Amino acid sequence: MSLLIDVQNSTGAFNLEVKLACSGPVTAIFGPSGSGKTSLLNIVAGLARPASGRIEVDGRVWFDAQKRIHLAPHERAIGYVFQEGRLFPHLNVRHNLTYGAFFAKDRAPSADFDEIVDLLGIDRLLERPIRHLSGGEQQRVAIGRALLARPRLILMDEPLASLDHARRSEILPYLDRMRMRFAIPTLYVSHSMEEVERLADEVATISEGRIVQMRRLTPQS
Amino acid sequence: MQFTADEITAIWLSLKVATIATLASLPLAIACAYVLARKEFWGKSIVNGLVHLPLVLPPVVTGYLLLVTFGRRGPVGSALESCCGIVFSFRWTGAALACAVMAFPLVVRAIRLAIEAIDPRLEAAAATLGARPSMVFFTVTLPLALPGILAGAIIGFAKALGEFGATITFVSNIPGETQTIATSIYSYTQAPGGDDNALRLTLVSVAIAMLALIASELLARRIMRKGADL
């Protein structure tokens, strides 16, 4: 993967100035809360528009302030796992999972439905309403929903932060397996070094809106 | 209880007028509610004011304004007649238009509250999953607002059934064409010996209103249950 981010934005007193070249597959954005991690992820997703700069993913330009290019979120082919799940409350688990694939018919699936359901251990939850799921189950469904949207890039915003320690260790193996099996380019935002060292291939440390360090954890393949 | 032919006609006409007024104005009401709930634009307070105008104006003023604009010699009325053959003045269609306009603020308000209660982060999540803005609206916003839309439609229907002032000003009180339950009760109370007839129609009015409320309650419960089962 090649992901080139060079964006500047300021909201109020906070300045975000990020220059980042990721080779992945899993790049962690590591830093304390308030350092601009989620803002950066929203900019990459197209949910927020930076004041200036450029974002390029595998040769495709997603954002270029000078050329006035700004792809809308639905044109970027991403899978975004939010901190709070954000599953659709009016749909059951199965329909949440298939929501993104419906809009991605022009892209080849990275894995079929049954395989992902099996990998995340949610096969017995398929017909359940969302409000009958535990926090950990909801987050597994959210990960499945993002994977099944046939993404070119996965964005994860502290997917484990809203869970207690036991739930966290319940999900980590699934994230491990997902990384081994699919190797989809991923930006993984976290403030936990333990998670980062376990899941990421490289770490970009962010502080007060700037990348202060970039470090490789695994040899480049 | 024995109804006269005119009374039966008035009851059917009331139901027809209220149903058509509600269904025909619902898409526009949903669109208005969505724009007012989710968009910021120049002149929003003017649009908001216009939508709520029929709620605060005396109904007779609304009726007169309808007569002036949608009457056969009004600018909109004459254009509609010459291009599409649609006539509002002194027809049941005019009664439906008057009811729709009078109910509009209440319907928009109910739906707007429902849309404002939807977490916009769910709509953002749908966008990241590849849904265009129109698909986000139809697959996330609209289904989640459904109970509010239903409540708005029932309120609109009830308001349309009871509409009197704007209707009688715009399309008068012609038996068989524009005479509804409300205007026909009015006629009976104006003539000597009409009290029994007025009372009968009043009971019909109460019965329809109760049925509408019970139906909305049952529908709302069914939607809640369906939401739970899914």
Side-chain angles (χ1 to χ4, degrees), chain A residues 45 47 73-74 78-80 82 84 86-92 95-96 99-103 127-132 145-146 149, chain B residues 119-133 135-144 224-230:
Chain A
L47 292 173
H74 71 272
I78 49 175
Y80 198 152
F82 300 91
E84 352 69 81
R86 297 199 201 179
L87 297 176
F88 302 123
H90 59 299
L91 302 177
N92 66 7
H95 292 124
N96 265 281
Y99 187 89
F102 179 79
F103 301 107
E127 309 309 324
R128 282 215 208 151
I130 295 308
R131 56 193 188 84
H132 288 177
R145 185 177 71 167
Chain B
D119 188 348
R121 293 179 307 173
L122 289 174
E123 294 164 327
T128 65
L129 288 164
R132 273 179 283 122
M135 288 308 287
V136 173
F137 177 78
F138 284 112
T139 59
V140 178
T141 318
L142 204 59
L144 286 173
M224 295 298 283
R225 238 200 346 258
K226 206 176 154 210
D229 288 346
L230 270 173

Side-chain angles (χ1 to χ4, degrees), chain B residues 20-86:
Chain B
I20 303 257
T22 309
L23 294 181
S25 64
L26 202 55
L28 186 62
I30 294 172
C32 270
Y34 180 76
V35 167
L36 289 174
R38 283 281 189 262
K39 305 286 179 201
E40 290 303 327
F41 54 93
W42 189 89
K44 182 173 170 178
S45 47
I46 296 173
V47 173
N48 194 33
L50 276 175
V51 166
H52 283 88
L53 211 53
L55 198 64
V56 283
L57 279 178
V60 64
V61 172
T62 306
Y64 184 69
L65 285 173
L66 285 173
L67 189 60
V68 175
T69 42
F70 287 92
R72 290 201 122 145
R73 269 177 283 168
V76 183
S78 58
L80 278 175
E81 186 176 358
S82 58
C83 89
C84 336
I86 298 172

Side-chain angles (χ1 to χ4, degrees), chain B residues 175-197:
Chain B
E177 185 63 46
T178 65
Q179 187 171 67
T180 61
I181 297 177
T183 52
S184 114
I185 291 174
Y186 172 74
S187 298
Y188 282 128
T189 59
Q190 296 302 296
D195 284 353
D196 287 355
N197 305 59

